[in-house]
């Protein structure tokens, strides 16, 4: 008999035996092993136990002094019937005769899931159980007095295990799946692996033993029945023919036998691209017509090589491999459209060449190892040059001319030339762009392009003149071209040399004969080719002067030298020495320049102290700084005197000031007794409140004449008089 049939018979026999055992046996014990509690019962009889099976050789074992006999109890999950299912029976050796005892059950599920018959010890399952929710329950059994509930023996613990049945199908928790594999992969190439789970007991029976099979996706893919690895099953799977496949995988428990539960999932397999297709031009011949005046770098046409691959595998580069010996064209790749853009590298000339035939190649950027690539394709490109009305062309882009700065008006400086390159050969006229010749220094002959001088030149003002000449076709005024003409003004000797600076020399009174007073150099605005060389000499009337002479230096300068040491400021403070400077031009140019020499007082080391004659007549020992200090002291004394006089004038002003804001008090106490509040004639209040009256020395009625006008310490605006208690107080508000 085949092996699967034998396994089915064994499973069937086990199920029948288990069901028979549950329903018929009152006390369950898988083995005759003693229970977890064992004690000696006083006055008890021999212990009894029930065997756990119904097979052959079943024996009832007994042992003296045993309180409980059982092992683990079992109950099938998902069992449902009209009555509670009997799990097993508990019995103690105390349960003899008419002894008043009862059985008590405690622990997990006691009273809710499991119930015990207090008299017989039968345990029943009251609810349908699910092993996947809870696989076993731990309970405690005890025998107590039925009347007093007094324990007759210690509690004993036992376990009820829920026995699994195949009630859960396999499930693909992570499904549905997506996978990819390169196209053209070999048969047997792994694609992906799926995994199913079964909640049933993997230990008991085959309820959780899974077998995988493929329901949809043949003949392209296969699946390993045990590992669930999906593999390529067909050779030459081409992405360009079909890119995506849907594979349905089934997982079945019970080892795949009949009656087992199953679950399915889907796997979407995508073939990824490899570079297995060459680029292919859509046409073998491309024809373009390009005008000869197309600017350099502009597009002249497009070519396209299509590739059935995608991504980087479809990218191509383009090259011109034949027909462009002169390098007139270039072709680049448009990264967005993968087109070849034909561009101009050099200007076209219809009159020189009217057609070009190029061979263009498209090459894949990437190539697969071992594919023999990179793949490529070629096409022919025919270019026809279209004649255009071109502007005149100058014989040179830049002209360089020279003219002497003393050239007369209308002198021809040079000539420019331009021609019409078209076959028709239009006449050309010339103009000067006056924006480049704002002073209208030059003119040009419109017919022959001769440039003439319009105004006198001065090289020392402008050495270079850059003008732009325009050539225009007579037949089409819109066709214009331009050229730059650089005119250099050549130098002539038209400027006399002169001193480089306005020299002023200083001569010490105590100087020595032969002492160099000043070094003099000259400059010339001209720029002779051979360089400058100057000749210095004194004017004829100064050749025999007794005071100074000149000496030439190697660096094209001279030194002015004193002839004696008898120079005195009292005698002559300043000397003027005229010097003639001549250049080496043709003709030579010369100028007379005067050197000013001042006689100064110097220190012993030659430092100039003073160069004016007034300083010489100052008193001995007083320098200019001392004189300034004395003058400053005098000015300070004058300021002090003026301030003193001003303060004295302010002090002699009247002392009484009509100023209501001065509120300082002066109190004068008189020891004369008055008449009190009834004495109203002691003072004339109006007089006291009138400052003018006080200043006018108005007499008082009750004070002796010699006390009426006492000296006042300050200026007062008016008195406030209080006569109280026989004493007089006069308040002056200051």
């Amino acid at each position: 008999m085949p092996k699967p049939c034998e396994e089915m018979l064994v499973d069937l026999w086990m199920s029948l035996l288990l069901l028979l055992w549950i329903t018929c046996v009152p006390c369950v014990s898988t083995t005759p092993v003693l229970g977890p509690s064992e004690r000696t019962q006083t006055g008890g009889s021999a212990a009894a136990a029930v065997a756990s099976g119904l097979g052959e050789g079943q024996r009832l074992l007994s042992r003296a002094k045993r309180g409980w006999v059982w092992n683990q109890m079992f109950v099938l999950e998902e069992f449902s019937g009209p009555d509670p299912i009997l799990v097993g029976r508990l019995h103690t050796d105390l349960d003899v005769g008419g002894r008043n005892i009862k059985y008590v059950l405690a622990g997990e599920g006691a009273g809710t899931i499991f119930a015990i018959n207090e008299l017989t010890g039968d345990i029943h399952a009251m609810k349908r159980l699910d092993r996947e929710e809870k696989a076993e329950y731990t309970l405690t059994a005890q025998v107590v007095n039925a009347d007093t509930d007094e324990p007759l023996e210690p509690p004993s613990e036992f376990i009820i295990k829920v026995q699994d049945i195949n009630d859960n199908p396999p499930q693909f928790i992570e499904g549905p799946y997506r996978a990819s594999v390169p196209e053209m992969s070999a048969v047997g190439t792994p694609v992906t692996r799926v995994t199913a789970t079964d909640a049933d007991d993997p230990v008991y029976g085959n309820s959780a033993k899974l077998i995988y099979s493929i329901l949809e996706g043949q003949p392209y893919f296969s699946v390993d029945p045990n590992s669930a690895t999906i593999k390529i099953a067909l050779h030459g799977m081409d992405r360009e023919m079909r890119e995506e496949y849907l594979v349905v995988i089934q997982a079945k428990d019970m080892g795949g036998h009949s009656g087992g539960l199953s679950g399915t999932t889907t796997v979407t397999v995508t073939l990824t691209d490899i570079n297995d297709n060459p680029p292919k031009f859509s046409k073998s011949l491309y024809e373009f017509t390009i005008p000869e005046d197309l600017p350099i770098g502009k597009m002249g046409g497009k070519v396209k090589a299509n590739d059935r691959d995608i991504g980087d595998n479809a990218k191509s580069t383009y090259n011109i491999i034949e027909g462009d010996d002169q390098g007139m064209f270039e072709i680049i790749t448009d990264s967005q459209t993968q087109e070849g853009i034909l561009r101009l590298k050099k200007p076209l000339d219809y009159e020189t060449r009217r057609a070009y035939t190029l061979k263009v190649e498209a090459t894949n950027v990437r190539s697969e190892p071992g594919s023999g690539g990179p793949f490529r394709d070629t096409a022919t490109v025919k270019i026809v040059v279209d004649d255009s009305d071109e502007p005149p062309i100058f014989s040179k882009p830049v002209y360089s001319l020279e003219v002497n700065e003393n050239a007369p008006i209308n002198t021809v400086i040079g000539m420019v030339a331009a021609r019409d390159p078209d076959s028709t050969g239009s006449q050309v006229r010339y103009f000067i762009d006056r924006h480049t010749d704002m002073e209208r220094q030059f003119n040009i002959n419109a017919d022959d392009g001769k440039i003439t001088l319009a105004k006198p030149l001065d090289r020392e003002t402008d050495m270079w003149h850059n003008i732009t000449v325009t050539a225009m076709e007579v037949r089409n005024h819109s066709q214009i071209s331009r050229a730059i003409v650089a005119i250099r003004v050549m130098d002539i000797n038209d400027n006399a040399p002169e001193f480089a600076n306005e020299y002023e020399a200083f001569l010490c009174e105590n100087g020595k004969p032969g002492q160099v007073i000043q070094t003099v150099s000259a400059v010339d605005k001209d720029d002779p080719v051979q360089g400058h060389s100057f000749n210095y000499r004194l004017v004829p009337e100064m050749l025999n002067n007794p005071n100074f002479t000149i000496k030439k230096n190697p660096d094209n300068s001279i030194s002015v030298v004193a002839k004696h040491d008898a120079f005195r400021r009292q005698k002559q403070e300043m000397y003027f020495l005229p010097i003639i400077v001549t250049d080496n031009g043709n003709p030579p140019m010369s100028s007379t320049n005067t050197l000013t020499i001042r006689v100064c007082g110097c220190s012993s080391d030659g430092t100039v102290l003073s160069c004016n004659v007034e300083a010489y007549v100052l008193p001995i020992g007083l320098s200019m700084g001392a004189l300034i200090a004395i003058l400053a002291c005098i000015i300070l004394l004058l300021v002090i005197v003026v301030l003193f006089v001003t303060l004295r004038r302010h002090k002699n002003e009247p002392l009484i000031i009509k100023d209501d804001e001065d509120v300082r008090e002066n109190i004068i106490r008189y020891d004369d007794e008055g008449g009190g509040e009834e004495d109203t004639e002691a003072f004339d209040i109006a007089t006291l409140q009138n400052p003018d009256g006080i200043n006018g020395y108005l007499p008082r009625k009750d004070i002796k004449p010699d006390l009426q006008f006492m000296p006042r310490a300050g200026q007062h605006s008016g008195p406030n008089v209080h006569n109280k208690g026989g004493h007089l107080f006069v308040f002056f508000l200051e």
Side-chain angles (χ1 to χ4, degrees):
M1 181 181 296
K3 184 177 180 180
C5 296
E6 295 178 0
E7 293 179 355
M8 291 177 61
L9 289 176
V10 172
D11 293 340
L12 181 60
W13 275 107
M14 291 181 64
S15 300
L16 290 174
L17 289 174
L18 181 62
L19 181 62
L20 185 62
W21 169 69
I22 291 173
T23 56
C24 300
V25 179
C27 183
V28 179
S29 177
T30 57
T31 61
V33 180
L34 296 180
S37 69
E38 181 176 313
R39 66 182 183 86
T40 303
Q41 299 288 340
T42 304
S45 60
V50 181
S52 60
L54 296 178
E56 295 181 1
Q58 181 81 24
R59 294 182 301 141
L60 183 64
L61 302 178
S62 62
R63 183 177 178 181
K65 305 301 181 181
R66 179 184 175 91
W68 299 95
V69 178
W70 70 80
N71 203 345
Q72 296 177 344
M73 297 183 181
F74 298 90
V75 59
L76 280 177
E77 67 169 336
E78 304 294 345
F79 184 85
S80 60
D83 299 322
I85 181 174
L86 178 63
V87 178
R89 175 178 295 171
L90 300 179
H91 186 73
T92 178
D93 54 1
L94 299 178
D95 188 6
V96 293
R99 192 163 183 178
N100 191 15
I101 64 173
K102 68 177 180 180
Y103 294 92
V104 177
L105 187 67
E108 296 177 336
T112 56
I113 300 176
F114 301 102
I116 188 170
N117 189 314
E118 295 180 349
L119 300 178
T120 65
D122 294 339
I123 300 174
H124 292 83
M126 309 300 294
K127 296 181 179 180
R128 185 171 63 179
L129 302 178
D130 187 358
R131 189 199 66 84
E132 286 71 38
E133 290 183 4
K134 190 171 179 62
E136 62 182 30
Y137 297 85
T138 301
L139 295 100
T140 301
Q142 190 174 25
V143 177
V144 299
N145 189 293
D147 297 329
T148 63
D149 290 335
E150 179 182 356
L152 299 179
E153 60 181 15
S156 297
E157 185 180 90
F158 65 96
I159 296 173
I160 298 178
K161 287 191 174 183
V162 181
Q163 207 160 31
D164 182 52
I165 64 172
N166 190 21
D167 60 340
N168 290 282
Q171 293 182 348
F172 292 90
I173 305 300
E174 299 178 359
Y177 297 85
R178 297 192 68 88
S180 61
V181 64
E183 61 175 331
M184 298 297 179
S185 295
V187 175
T189 301
V191 177
T192 187
R193 184 172 181 264
V194 297
T195 303
T197 58
D198 196 318
D200 292 325
D201 191 354
V203 178
Y204 179 77
N206 294 326
S207 298
K209 184 178 181 181
L210 305 181
I211 297 297
Y212 298 89
S213 62
I214 184 168
L215 301 182
E216 184 179 338
Q218 296 105 337
Y220 308 105
F221 301 95
S222 63
V223 63
D224 187 283
N226 296 315
S227 65
T229 301
I230 301 173
K231 301 178 181 180
I232 295 291
L234 185 64
H235 177 73
M237 297 178 66
D238 191 358
R239 186 201 65 83
E240 286 73 31
M241 299 298 295
R242 183 178 176 182
E243 185 176 2
E244 194 171 86
Y245 297 84
L246 183 66
V247 180
V248 179
I249 302 296
Q250 181 190 63
K252 191 174 183 180
D253 59 12
M254 296 298 294
H257 297 153
S258 177
L261 303 179
S262 64
T264 60
T265 189
T266 60
V267 181
T268 302
V269 181
T270 302
L271 297 182
T272 57
D273 185 59
I274 65 172
N275 191 16
D276 58 341
N277 292 281
K280 187 68 178 177
F281 282 102
S282 57
K283 296 187 296 183
S284 60
L285 176 64
Y286 293 85
E287 293 182 344
F288 303 111
T289 299
I290 302 177
E292 65 172 332
D293 59 352
L294 181 71
I296 294 176
K298 293 297 182 180
M299 182 185 68
K302 294 181 180 180
V303 297
K304 178 66 181 295
N306 299 309
D307 195 320
R308 297 178 62 193
D309 296 322
I310 59 175
D312 292 340
N313 294 325
K315 293 181 179 181
S316 299
T317 58
Y318 298 87
N319 295 286
I320 300 173
I321 58 176
E322 289 183 12
D324 188 27
D325 299 336
Q326 298 178 356
M328 302 293 293
F329 304 94
E330 65 177 351
I331 189 167
I332 62 172
T333 303
D334 188 329
S335 60
Q336 301 296 326
T337 63
Q338 289 300 305
E339 293 176 314
I341 309 299
L342 187 66
R343 301 194 309 186
L344 197 62
K345 287 180 65 178
K346 295 180 180 180
L348 297 173
D349 187 6
Y350 174 81
E351 289 73 24
T352 303
R353 186 172 179 178
R354 302 185 180 185
Y356 297 86
T357 301
L358 309 177
K359 189 174 183 180
V360 178
E361 181 183 65
T363 307
N364 273 155
V365 175
R366 295 181 58 183
S367 62
E368 295 294 333
S371 64
F375 300 112
R376 63 190 73 219
D377 191 24
T378 59
T380 301
V381 178
K382 187 175 181 179
I383 300 172
V384 176
V385 181
D386 187 22
D387 188 22
S388 301
D389 190 4
E390 300 175 84
I393 299 176
F394 280 94
S395 59
K396 298 178 183 178
V398 178
Y399 292 85
S400 181
L401 306 178
E402 294 181 352
V403 60
N404 291 329
E405 64 176 323
N406 63 343
I409 303 301
N410 295 326
T411 298
V412 176
I413 301 173
M415 180 179 177
V416 297
R419 65 176 182 86
D420 183 6
D422 298 322
S423 57
T424 56
S426 174
Q427 187 178 355
V428 177
R429 297 183 66 84
Y430 303 93
F431 305 92
I432 293 178
D433 186 352
R434 291 303 176 183
H435 291 91
T436 61
D437 185 26
M438 301 294 291
E439 297 180 358
R440 295 184 175 269
Q441 195 80 48
F442 307 95
N443 290 327
I444 190 170
N445 190 301
D447 297 324
D448 58 14
K450 291 182 179 180
I451 300 174
T452 58
L453 185 62
K455 290 183 179 180
L457 298 172
D458 185 4
R459 191 203 68 85
E460 287 70 37
T461 303
D462 289 310
M463 184 183 298
W464 285 92
H465 296 268
N466 296 316
I467 63 175
T468 300
V469 176
T470 302
M472 181 182 66
E473 289 185 9
V474 175
R475 186 180 57 191
N476 185 356
H477 292 178
S478 64
Q479 296 298 326
I480 298 174
S481 59
R482 293 175 173 82
I484 297 175
V485 180
I487 302 174
R488 181 182 181 184
V489 181
M490 304 302 293
D491 183 50
I492 64 170
N493 193 26
D494 59 345
N495 290 279
E498 58 186 12
F499 280 176
N501 297 296
E502 294 183 1
Y503 294 105
E504 184 177 15
F506 298 95
L507 174 62
C508 292
E509 290 180 311
N510 56 353
K512 298 179 180 180
Q515 178 182 355
V516 176
I517 302 171
Q518 181 70 46
T519 300
V520 176
S521 62
V523 294
D524 194 333
K525 294 181 180 179
D526 295 323
D527 187 18
V529 177
Q530 68 276 15
H532 291 290
S533 177
F534 301 119
N535 179 35
Y536 301 88
R537 68 180 187 275
L538 298 176
V539 295
E541 56 270 21
M542 294 293 293
L543 289 176
N544 297 319
N545 78 91
N547 299 315
F548 307 101
T549 185
I550 60 176
K551 182 178 65 174
K552 189 172 182 180
N553 299 322
D555 60 351
N556 217 15
S557 65
I558 60 170
S559 297
V560 179
V561 180
K563 289 185 176 182
H564 59 83
D565 59 355
F567 296 98
R568 294 294 182 269
R569 281 178 288 173
Q570 303 93 319
K571 180 179 179 181
Q572 186 172 348
E573 179 185 4
M574 190 176 300
Y575 295 86
F576 299 98
L577 184 64
I579 301 174
I580 300 174
V581 185
T582 306
D583 62 18
N584 59 339
N586 186 18
M589 301 291 293
S590 63
S591 67
T592 301
N593 300 265
T594 301
L595 175 64
T596 302
I597 303 173
R598 300 176 66 90
V599 180
C600 302
C602 302
S603 62
S604 59
D605 58 354
T607 303
V608 176
L609 299 177
S610 177
C611 295
N612 53 349
V613 67
E614 290 81 1
Y616 185 79
V617 299
L618 290 176
I620 298 175
L622 289 179
S623 64
M624 182 62 67
L627 181 61
I628 293 174
I630 294 173
L631 183 59
C633 293
I634 295 173
I635 294 174
L636 181 61
L637 290 175
L638 290 176
V639 170
I640 294 173
V641 170
V642 171
L643 289 176
F644 180 77
V645 172
T646 303
L647 292 176
R648 293 290 296 176
R649 289 185 61 186
H650 283 289
K651 188 173 182 181
N652 291 333
E653 290 180 355
L655 299 179
I656 296 179
I657 301 175
K658 299 178 182 179
D659 187 359
D660 295 336
E661 295 181 356
D662 192 354
V663 295
R664 290 177 296 176
E665 289 185 343
N666 286 301
I667 301 176
I668 301 175
R669 184 172 181 274
Y670 298 92
D671 292 331
D672 297 333
E673 294 185 1
E677 295 180 357
E678 296 179 356
D679 188 0
T680 59
E681 296 181 356
F683 292 90
D684 189 348
I685 300 301
T687 301
L688 290 174
Q689 292 179 347
N690 185 1
D692 295 334
I694 295 176
N695 293 336
Y697 304 105
L698 296 177
R700 290 184 54 181
K701 300 177 181 180
D702 59 338
I703 300 177
K704 297 178 181 180
D706 56 347
L707 297 176
Q708 285 194 20
F709 307 109
M710 299 178 64
R712 296 183 296 274
Q715 298 176 359
H716 310 282
S717 59
N720 288 330
V721 180
H722 297 272
N723 185 12
K724 186 176 180 181
H727 298 280
L728 175 62
F729 295 88
V730 182
F731 297 87
F732 291 95
L733 299 180
E734 190 173 49

